[in-house]
Amino acid sequence: YKDLAAVVGADAPLARMLSARIAMSQQDYAKAAGDLQRVISRVPDFAPARFLLGAALLAQGNLNLAEMHLTRALQRAPENLEARKLLAQVRLRMDRPDAAMQVLMSAQSSGLEDPQLDILIGLAHLPLGDANQGIAQLERALGADPENRALRLDLAAAYARAGDYAQAIALLRKLPRLSGDLRREELLVAVQAAQGLS
């Protein structure tokens, strides 16, 4: 970075972008966001900078600003699947599954095979009341990535939400216990309790 800054100037957009990428790799999201905001102030329509800024802001938990920058990045580069998926994640965290689904459906219609896209579409379907479609998407994603623990937990939660407690319990029992990972245990207890009440 220092050599590049010496050649093009420390405040050049290219140098700031490189600095931001380095900061992101070191999980210094505040520094990355600061560098990227400087880039955007000089080149407002530079979609890669807006995308990275959205990612840095999401990592900091600033969902509203992340959504704004990712939306602008997609306006400039609608083919950017990673920006589309990141914007959907932001909107799901904001409890706006309908808005997440809008962003995802155009990517799904392109026919791309992307397990992460399937996961996001499945997670968006669930709060919209379409448990069967959500479960089908999650099962499809799990077929492409059978060792994905987080996805297995999401699928078990989806089964439970749909009232298929036996399927949820079976899936959870197949997962090994991991030290420090309480999600499996909490979900198993909750599903078993719900099954007992049904």
Side-chain angles (χ1 to χ4, degrees):
Y1 166 73
K2 290 179 182 175
D3 291 340
L4 179 64
V7 173
V8 298
D11 206 36
L14 182 60
R16 287 279 174 208
M17 282 287 292
L18 182 58
S19 174
R21 284 188 178 274
I22 292 168
M24 297 256 316
S25 72
Q26 297 169 343
Q27 298 182 348
D28 187 351
Y29 302 114
K31 178 173 180 356
D35 283 335
L36 292 163
Q37 285 167 342
R38 286 187 184 101
V39 172
I40 288 170
S41 71
R42 294 189 58 191
V43 192
D45 292 330
F46 189 43
R50 291 236 181 233
F51 168 69
L52 283 177
L53 181 54
L57 291 165
L58 174 59
Q60 292 177 311
N62 194 335
L63 301 180
N64 291 322
L65 279 177
E67 181 187 30
M68 181 189 79
H69 288 290
L70 290 167
T71 299
R72 292 275 304 269
L74 269 181
Q75 288 168 348
R76 300 296 301 165
E79 73 288 351
N80 186 334
L81 181 60
E82 295 307 312
R84 196 168 288 282
K85 292 189 296 189
L86 201 59
L87 179 57
Q89 288 176 39
V90 169
R91 289 179 173 173
L92 285 171
R93 285 184 53 184
M94 296 172 82
D95 293 323
R96 294 178 50 215
D98 51 339
M101 189 65 80
Q102 287 175 346
V103 172
L104 295 168
M105 292 315 289
S106 62
Q108 185 185 37
S109 65
S110 68
L112 291 170
E113 290 292 324
D114 186 318
Q116 189 182 19
L117 186 63
D118 289 332
I119 293 167
L120 290 168
I121 291 171
L123 293 174
H125 272 295
L126 295 173
L128 292 174
D130 193 354
N132 291 336
Q133 183 64 32
I135 287 170
Q137 290 288 148
L138 293 173
E139 288 173 338
R140 180 176 152 182
L142 189 60
D145 188 6
E147 301 304 315
N148 186 327
R149 182 180 179 87
L151 177 52
R152 286 178 174 268
L153 290 168
D154 287 339
L155 181 56
Y159 284 141
R161 178 181 271 180
D164 192 348
Y165 303 122
Q167 186 86 326
I169 290 170
L171 186 57
L172 290 167
R173 286 188 174 151
K174 288 180 187 174
L175 280 175
R177 292 182 183 183
L178 292 182
S179 176
D181 179 10
L182 297 178
R183 186 172 177 214
R184 176 198 176 269
E185 307 312 313
E186 291 169 349
L187 195 51
L188 185 56
V189 168
V191 172
Q192 287 171 331
Q195 184 182 43
L197 295 173
S198 63

